[in-house]
Amino acid sequence: MPDTLVTAAILVIGDEILSGRTKDKNIGAIADRLTETGIDLREVRIVPDEQAEIVAAVNALRARYTYLFTTGGIGPTHDDITADSVAAAFGVGIDVDERARAMLLERIKPEDLNEARLRMARIPFGADLIANPISKAPGFRIGNVFVMAGVPQIMNAMLDEIVPTLTSNAPVISRTLEAANTPEGTFAGALALIAKAHASVSIGSYPSMTPQGFLNRIVVRGRDAAAVEAAATAVEAMLAGLTR
Amino acid sequence: MPDTLVTAAILVIGDEILSGRTKDKNIGAIADRLTETGIDLREVRIVPDEQAEIVAAVNALRARYTYLFTTGGIGPTHDDITADSVAAAFGVGIDVDERARAMLLERIKPEDLNEARLRMARIPFGADLIANPISKAPGFRIGNVFVMAGVPQIMNAMLDEIVPTLTSNAPVISRTLEAANTPEGTFAGALALIAKAHASVSIGSYPSMTPQGFLNRIVVRGRDAAAVEAAATAVEAMLAGLTR
């Protein structure tokens, strides 16, 4: 376990997400994996397929967080500009990488490896490759930035390879308490006092609507099991008191 | 139609999205509505329930885009800090708003309107309210920032009220052409040439995986119907040539 908190950000690259045509599934999937691993996801951004926007976001996020994960824009078409943009963000060159070309040749016949497909082997200088067991075109890691595919099945396969290499914190322990048909406003005052008394944990209250009415979930999260348990017990007692 | 492009950003506020516990549905819903309306969504950020993070993101995004839409953090519990954070971002005061209190009293009995519930009537000075037909606690608009609930049903109801008030561009016209079982690498070179020849439209290629294999969709988007049609016709002819 490191001395300081290991943090992360996600950068989703793609006009199709901003237009609504494609509904992102990668943010939730990466968030789940990072939480399981004990890494704090602190920020997410979605930007269009424009180099200046990608460069600015990569540089802002890689400077601020331990890790940055990007998704999208590493295919063979003209709108796939992530690799070139990341190279520009790091101020390094980029060219066809022989390791990446060899990976592509595992799936593509040499006579079919045209200029467009070779774009998928363009890797910034100094980067390590991330294998793609599904369609072979690799992602890459440069510095603290992991560049992954946007297709969810491929992104998840790349994440399987990346996660074991990450430094992580002690995992966050979480306890969820349900308050069905009890409006948040009934317990919000008491919950605020519990949150204040148990400042080493984070306590969130999350309303959702079900056909049966509002369902509130109170989630206690923290890295110290005893502290989480103590706060959860206090919330439980408070909720039980409401229905007396 | 305005002279310059009307743009927008979304700011999702919530630890529960960053932890993966809740999967966001609002980004896609807002993106769809903006696209229908002819407003260009240019950026999305997700930040935690921390005032400094919310203030920084609100100020960065409201300065840069025509409109900013926020979701989450306007309930009665201690972790609902969006209204106070937006007031801080604008440098204005905040207090219980009598119009908002009256809205809450449409649903909550006066004796049940405790301090926690009154938090939902705290509105930055100078803001206009956004009605909430579902649970009454309003959102608000201040400057070019629209502050909405995080619960999707309520967020969508607020959006219904907001959208007719927005200035918009001519809507974007979009044509989608499918290339089933034709790898992107086969047509990427030809597509890049078409994109260059039809520079007034944007052409994206979006691969997805189905049980039958890769399915690529090529999307031509633009505000000039004739230009979109011309580019789509060129893409169609190019794809037809591949299967000859």
Side-chain angles (χ1 to χ4, degrees):
Chain A
M1 201 190 328
D3 280 354
T4 53
L5 209 56
V6 178
T7 58
I10 299 171
L11 178 62
V12 174
I13 297 161
D15 290 350
E16 71 278 20
I17 307 290
L18 293 171
S19 76
R21 214 194 61 80
T22 300
K23 300 294 180 283
D24 171 80
K25 291 177 182 160
N26 291 330
I27 296 171
I30 300 172
D32 282 340
R33 292 294 294 273
L34 293 176
T35 296
E36 281 166 28
T37 310
I39 293 173
D40 281 18
L41 177 61
R42 296 278 304 164
E43 184 170 349
V44 178
R45 295 192 192 182
I46 308 177
V47 297
D49 298 320
E50 295 174 18
Q51 177 156 329
E53 298 296 322
I54 299 168
V55 168
V58 164
N59 281 337
L61 296 171
R62 75 183 175 101
R64 193 157 181 214
Y65 304 103
T66 316
Y67 298 119
L68 170 61
F69 300 89
T70 80
T71 67
I74 61 168
T77 56
H78 63 283
D79 54 336
D80 289 306
I81 61 169
T82 298
D84 283 83
S85 302
V86 170
F90 277 84
V92 301
I94 180 169
D95 204 348
V96 170
D97 181 294
E98 289 308 319
R99 301 164 301 172
R101 185 206 294 264
M103 287 176 174
L104 292 180
L105 285 170
E106 291 171 29
R107 187 162 185 266
I108 300 169
K109 286 184 214 145
E111 62 269 31
D112 289 340
L113 194 56
N114 57 23
E115 193 186 341
R117 288 192 168 104
L118 261 182
R119 278 175 61 80
M120 297 190 285
R122 284 172 63 80
I123 304 288
F125 296 160
D128 295 321
L129 302 190
I130 300 167
N132 167 354
I134 294 174
S135 63
K136 299 300 174 187
F140 59 86
R141 173 192 181 147
I142 179 167
N144 61 339
V145 180
F146 295 86
V147 174
M148 302 189 289
V151 174
Q153 293 91 331
I154 301 175
M155 193 287 298
N156 281 303
M158 288 181 173
L159 211 48
D160 287 340
E161 189 183 337
I162 293 167
V163 165
T165 72
L166 302 175
T167 303
S168 59
N169 309 298
V172 168
I173 298 153
S174 154
R175 281 278 310 271
T176 300
L177 303 143
E178 293 201 349
N181 296 318
T182 307
E184 278 190 305
T186 311
F187 58 75
L191 190 66
L193 293 176
I194 294 172
K196 212 168 171 182
H198 297 263
S200 77
V201 302
S202 98
I203 302 181
S205 176
Y206 305 117
S208 61
M209 287 181 72
T210 71
Q212 287 74 45
F214 272 100
L215 173 65
N216 296 304
R217 290 196 182 81
I218 299 167
V219 180
V220 180
R221 303 174 78 240
R223 292 197 150 83
D224 174 338
V228 169
E229 195 52 38
T233 302
V235 172
E236 240 164 7
M238 181 273 289
L239 291 176
L242 294 179
T243 55
R244 252 179 234 150
Chain B
M1 198 192 327
D3 280 355
T4 54
L5 210 56
V6 178
T7 58
I10 299 172
L11 177 62
V12 174
I13 298 162
D15 290 351
E16 73 277 21
I17 306 291
L18 292 171
S19 75
R21 212 195 60 82
T22 300
K23 300 294 180 281
D24 171 79
K25 290 175 182 162
N26 291 331
I27 295 170
I30 300 171
D32 282 339
R33 292 295 293 273
L34 293 176
T35 296
E36 281 166 27
T37 310
I39 293 173
D40 280 18
L41 177 61
R42 295 279 305 165
E43 184 170 350
V44 178
R45 295 192 191 181
I46 308 177
V47 297
D49 299 319
E50 294 175 19
Q51 178 156 330
E53 298 297 321
I54 299 168
V55 168
V58 165
N59 281 336
L61 296 172
R62 74 183 174 102
R64 193 156 182 216
Y65 305 104
T66 315
Y67 298 119
L68 170 61
F69 301 88
T70 80
T71 68
I74 63 168
T77 57
H78 63 282
D79 55 335
D80 289 307
I81 61 168
T82 297
D84 283 83
S85 302
V86 170
F90 277 85
V92 301
I94 181 169
D95 203 347
V96 170
D97 180 295
E98 289 309 319
R99 300 165 300 171
R101 185 206 295 264
M103 287 176 173
L104 293 180
L105 285 171
E106 291 171 29
R107 187 162 185 265
I108 300 168
K109 287 183 213 146
E111 62 269 29
D112 289 342
L113 193 57
N114 57 25
E115 193 186 340
R117 288 192 168 106
L118 263 181
R119 278 175 61 79
M120 294 190 286
R122 284 172 65 78
I123 304 289
F125 297 161
D128 295 319
L129 302 190
I130 300 168
N132 167 354
I134 294 174
S135 63
K136 299 301 175 188
F140 60 87
R141 174 193 179 146
I142 180 166
N144 61 340
V145 181
F146 295 85
V147 174
M148 301 187 289
V151 174
Q153 294 92 329
I154 301 175
M155 193 288 297
N156 281 303
M158 290 180 171
L159 211 48
D160 287 339
E161 190 183 335
I162 294 167
V163 165
T165 73
L166 302 175
T167 303
S168 58
N169 309 298
V172 168
I173 298 153
S174 155
R175 281 280 310 272
T176 300
L177 303 142
E178 295 201 346
N181 296 318
T182 307
E184 278 190 305
T186 311
F187 58 74
L191 191 66
L193 293 177
I194 294 172
K196 213 168 171 183
H198 297 262
S200 76
V201 302
S202 98
I203 302 181
S205 177
Y206 306 117
S208 62
M209 287 181 72
T210 71
Q212 288 74 43
F214 273 100
L215 173 65
N216 296 303
R217 289 194 183 84
I218 298 168
V219 180
V220 180
R221 302 175 79 241
R223 291 197 150 84
D224 176 337
V228 170
E229 195 51 40
T233 302
V235 173
E236 241 164 5
M238 181 273 290
L239 290 176
L242 294 179
T243 54
R244 252 178 235 150

